[in-house]
């Protein structure tokens, strides 16, 4: 596994740990048991052990949902790390589709902005 992904997952885990201390919630050991059925996953990660792409995808999918975080909000550092994994966090109260945004709509009745010199 590439070191950048390992570092990103460590960043997410550290941010989650901080939030658990602050708000209470499931331990990382419990999360690892839920997600990959291995409560020692994060202690092994801290010890420099590697992991599979499948496990990375499973954790990225779990951590990108705000409802899985203690305060139901993903901290900025964790959100940045999840984005670097290629799994940006889901905005709160949205459909779980990565391309569904209302900012991407296009106004088709707008006059042309670019015109060729010959048309002027």
């Amino acid at each position: 596994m590439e070191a950048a992904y390992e570092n990103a997952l460590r960043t997410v885990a550290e941010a989650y740990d901080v939030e658990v201390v602050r708000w209470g919630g499931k331990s990382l050991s419990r999360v690892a048991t839920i997600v990959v059925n291995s409560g020692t996953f994060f202690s092994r990660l801290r010890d420099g052990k590697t992991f599979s792409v499948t496990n990375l995808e499973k954790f990225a999918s779990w951590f990108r949902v705000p409802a899985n975080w203690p305060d139901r909000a993903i901290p900025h550092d964790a959100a940045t790390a999840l984005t670097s994994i290629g799994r940006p966090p889901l905005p709160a109260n949205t459909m779980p589709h990565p391309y569904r945004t209302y900012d991407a709509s296009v106004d088709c009745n707008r006059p042309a902005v670019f015109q060729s010199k010959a048309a002027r």
Side-chain angles (χ1 to χ4, degrees):
M1 180 64 51
E2 190 174 319
Y5 293 130
E6 292 172 6
N7 291 335
L9 190 53
R10 280 189 197 100
T11 298
V12 172
E14 289 168 7
Y16 184 85
D17 249 352
V18 168
E19 293 298 302
V20 166
V21 168
R22 185 174 175 199
W23 300 101
K26 296 177 183 77
S27 68
L28 277 175
S29 177
R30 180 66 185 135
V31 169
T33 300
I34 292 167
V35 176
V36 294
N37 201 27
S38 173
T40 62
F41 179 87
F42 287 105
S43 60
R44 289 186 4 250
L45 181 63
R46 285 187 197 109
D47 293 340
K49 305 290 184 200
T50 60
F51 52 88
S52 68
V53 172
T54 302
N55 285 347
L56 176 68
E57 288 290 324
K58 288 178 182 180
F59 279 111
S61 293
W62 194 87
F63 280 119
R64 70 190 280 259
V65 178
N68 290 334
W69 287 77
D71 188 33
R72 298 182 142 347
I74 301 172
H76 178 74
D77 290 348
T80 302
L82 287 166
T83 301
S84 75
I85 292 172
R87 292 293 190 148
L90 289 174
N93 302 323
T94 62
M95 296 292 290
H97 190 285
Y99 301 108
R100 184 180 293 266
T101 63
Y102 296 103
D103 296 335
S105 64
V106 177
D107 182 2
C108 295
N109 295 325
R110 188 183 261 176
V113 175
F114 299 105
Q115 296 177 350
S116 69
K117 289 182 181 179
R120 287 186 198 172

